[in-house]
Amino acid sequence: GENVEQHPSTLSVQEGDSAVIKCTYSDSASNYFPWYKQELGKGPQLIIDIRSNVGEKKDQRIAVTLNKTAKHFSLHITETQPEDSAVHFCAAILTGTASKLTFGTGTRLQVTL
Amino acid sequence: ETGVTQSPTHLIKTRGQQVTLRCSSQSGHNTVSWYQQALGQGPQFIFQYYREEENGRGNFPPRFSGLQFPNYSSELNVNALELDDSALYLCASRQGGGHTGELFFGEGSRLTVL
C-alpha cells in the first residue's frame, strides 16, 4: 500500500518568512495530493491540492509543487502569518472505487511574531 | 450549507465496552469515510461507505464496523474496546463513490478508553 513520509515534524518561522514542508510517497500510481491544516481541537481542513497531471499550483500565499519522477511534493507558504500556525498534513491517494487518503505524520508549524 | 457534524464530541469508556459514534454528512454528499487519529499522528483510514455499502476498508479488525443510512449519515461502532482505541475519530464526506473530490472533515469525536 501507499506510504507517505513528511518532514520536518516541527517548523518554527518568524512572521513574514517562508515555510516549506516536504513529503514523499511510495506508490507511483497515486494521482491526487491534498494538503490539510488542522488547528487544535478541529478536524483537518483542505488548504490546497494538486493532481498528477500538474507540476505546480498556487493559491495566493500557498503553493504546492509535485515531482512525479522523484515521487515527492512540497507545500510552500510565503509571508507567513500567525494564523498559519497549525499542524499541516500532506496526503496521497489513488482515485478509484475505494479511494482512501494516506496521510503523512504532520508538521507542527509555529509562526512567531 | 451544513458541514459535517459528529457526535458525541468527547466520551470516556472502559476496556471491553462498546461505543457508537455518529456522523451527519455535508448536504449533497453521498460518501462517508471514517479515520482514526492517534495523538501526534496523521489520520488512518478505517473504512468508507457509498450509498449505504462499504466500498473500502483499511487495516482495522472486524470489531470496527459501520453503517450508512439512506440519508447518508453514518455510524462507527467499535466493540470490545482496547486502550489503544483511544483516539480522535474523524468522519469525512464528499460527493461520489469513486472519484476524487475534496474531503470535508468533521471536528471529530475524542474517545478515551480507560
Side-chain angles (χ1 to χ4, degrees), chain B residues 61-100:
Chain B
R63 58 190 186 84
F64 285 78
S65 63
L67 284 172
Q68 186 180 32
F69 300 99
N71 66 353
Y72 304 128
S73 65
S74 177
E75 285 184 355
L76 165 64
N77 298 289
V78 187
N79 293 322
L81 284 167
E82 301 176 359
L83 296 179
D84 286 348
D85 295 333
S86 295
L88 181 68
Y89 288 85
L90 294 162
C91 173
S93 74
R94 60 179 170 84
Q95 178 60 28
H99 303 284
T100 296

Side-chain angles (χ1 to χ4, degrees), chain A residues 32 38 43 95-99 101, chain B residues 35 37 48 55 94 97-98 100 106:
Chain A
Y32 175 65
Q38 186 174 26
T95 57
T97 56
S99 49
L101 272 177
Chain B
Y35 288 79
Q37 186 177 23
Q48 175 174 283
N55 74 338
R94 60 179 170 84
T100 296

Side-chain angles (χ1 to χ4, degrees), chain B residues 16-27:
Chain B
Q17 285 190 311
Q18 178 266 343
V19 68
T20 297
L21 307 178
R22 295 178 175 83
C23 171
S24 292
S25 61
Q26 182 158 321
S27 177

Side-chain angles (χ1 to χ4, degrees), chain B residues 1-57:
Chain B
E1 186 177 79
T2 306
V4 177
T5 58
Q6 294 186 241
S7 64
T9 55
H10 297 81
L11 69 167
I12 299 173
K13 293 284 188 178
T14 56
R15 274 187 305 173
Q17 285 190 311
Q18 178 266 343
V19 68
T20 297
L21 307 178
R22 295 178 175 83
C23 171
S24 292
S25 61
Q26 182 158 321
S27 177
H29 289 183
N30 56 12
T31 302
V32 171
S33 50
W34 286 90
Y35 288 79
Q36 180 196 65
Q37 186 177 23
L39 201 60
Q41 300 294 316
Q44 299 285 320
F45 176 74
I46 303 174
F47 44 56
Q48 175 174 283
Y49 280 83
Y50 171 60
R51 293 184 175 176
E52 303 178 57
E53 297 284 334
E54 182 183 297
N55 74 338
R57 189 176 183 92

Side-chain angles (χ1 to χ4, degrees), chain A residues 11-23:
Chain A
L11 179 59
S12 182
V13 299
Q14 284 198 319
E15 184 180 7
D17 287 350
S18 296
V20 180
I21 302 171
K22 299 183 179 182
C23 289

